[in-house]
Every structure is written in C-alpha cells, then in structure tokens.
Amino acid sequence: MRAGNGISMRTGAAFLRNEFYNMSIYRVSFWLNFIYTFLMMYSVGYVWRALYAANPSVTGVPLPQMISYAVLGVALEAILHPRNGPQGYIMEQVRKGTIEMDIMKPIDFEFYMFAKNIGGIAVRFLFLVLPSLVAAFFLFSLELPELSALLGFLCSLICSVIVSFFLNFILGLLSMVTMNIRNINWGYNALLRFFSGQMVPLWIFPSVLGVISDFLPFRCVYAIPMSIYIGNYEGMDMMRVLGVQFIWILVLWLISRLLMKRVFTRVMIQGG
C-alpha cells in the first residue's frame, strides 16, 4: 500500500504512532481482553483434547499440532477480528455526518485508514497476542515451528492482516451507501469464522465446503498462516499458498479502489 496525494510514509507513521498511544491508554480493557483470550485458549485446548481422547485421528494431525492450531486461532483473533477493523470508525463517521472531513484530508483515505488500523494492531499484538502465546506455551507445551516455518508464518501473517484490512475497509465503504452495516457486519463475521478455519481446520471440511472455501478469501486470514505454523505447508506448498494470499491482496485492493471511487462520487453529490 502506498500513500497518495504526495504524502510521504512519514505521515502514515505519525498516524500509526498516534493510534498506538490512544489504544495503549485503556489498560483495564487490555487486561479484560487478555483474560478472555486466556480462557478461550484453555477452552479450545480442553475441547480438542477431549475429541482426541475419543478419536485420535479426528483431524488427521497429531494432537500437539492441533492444539497449536486451535490456540493460535484464538490468539490471532485479537488482531484479526472484524470488530477491530476500520468499518466501525467509518460507519460512526457516516452516522455523525463527519465522514467528509476524513475524505478531504490531504492524504489518501484508504492509506489513512490502513495506518490507523495498523496502529491498533501493533498495540494488540504486543499486549495481547504475544503474552497470551507465552502463557499458552507453558500451559499447553506448544511446539515451536522450524525456522523456515516460522519465517513463512510471519510473512503469511502480514499478508493475512492486509487481506483482513481490505475486507473490513470494503465493508466500511458500503456503510457510506447503506448508512448502517451492523447486520451485514454480523453476517460477514459469521462467514469469516466458518470459512476461515479459525476454530475448525478447513482440511476436515466436507468436499463441497472445502471447494467453496478455496474460492473465498477468508482462508487467507486464519487458515493459511496457522497451517504454515504447524507444518502443513512446506517448501513449494508454502510458496503456493503465500502466492494465493498475494493474489487476493491485489484483487481486494483493486476492488477497494474502484468501490471507493464510486462511493466518494455519491458522497460528494449528496453532500454538495
């Protein structure tokens, strides 16, 4: 993503830093979120242990890998859940009638939203994801991946953050037309949870649902980085799924730019 209208990356970094400071103020909220994440990790770990006790081949991978996959899905929710996307901010600005002030800023609107979003993600990653993973490492004896898998996971996680942003940003643009996307956002969250493989791995889906998930971008958010982490994708398979994420980034970026142009034209006509 690049800044538009001649704005340097330094400006984007300033927005990012400002968002980091704003979010780091709410320490009580972070502690509550950490407790929630920890309890969810314990719950999903207990569930998968119970399932494996009844059927050790329920998912086709060893229990330690499945525990790592499930726990990682809970931890990443702190940075990838739609509630943390830009659509909430955009919808609120539309409701108050002040979205024009954001659009008229001397900086590309999409880049501005991206910088704000990354600031929040940085805070949640440092104060929620990393501490919860450290706690899970001792609680569940999580296995660390090999260096190649770890590097692939980090690259894939960056791609998943970008894919998630574009999906949420497109929803935010829709709020400029519909004025309210709460129900749409709820439906999107349900589809994301089901087809992203966050809780249930996609490789155990029935064939029809597996084909559908392959044609949707949701697996780029959770399933691909988490599968790389546990070693399900290695070598050329890893490069292939990273390529899938990159293609979806380009596709969603093009869709967001075209939609933004159409929506902004409508907003300017309505606003005068």
Side-chain angles (χ1 to χ4, degrees), residues 229-271:
Y229 183 91
I230 66 172
N232 269 19
Y233 293 124
E234 297 178 327
M236 293 306 299
D237 286 336
M238 183 192 300
M239 300 304 297
R240 177 180 59 81
V241 293
L242 287 174
V244 170
Q245 286 184 299
F246 184 73
I247 290 173
W248 270 114
I249 288 174
L250 291 179
V251 170
L252 292 172
W253 175 75
L254 288 173
I255 293 174
S256 68
R257 301 306 293 188
L258 292 174
L259 184 60
M260 188 167 64
K261 184 177 180 180
R262 294 288 297 273
V263 168
F264 281 9
T265 301
R266 178 168 178 169
V267 169
M268 295 308 294
I269 291 175
Q270 291 178 341

Side-chain angles (χ1 to χ4, degrees), residues 88-102:
Y89 172 84
I90 296 174
M91 186 177 69
E92 182 64 18
Q93 294 295 92
V94 171
R95 186 189 65 82
K96 295 189 297 185
T98 55
I99 190 64
E100 293 87 353
M101 301 302 296
D102 290 302

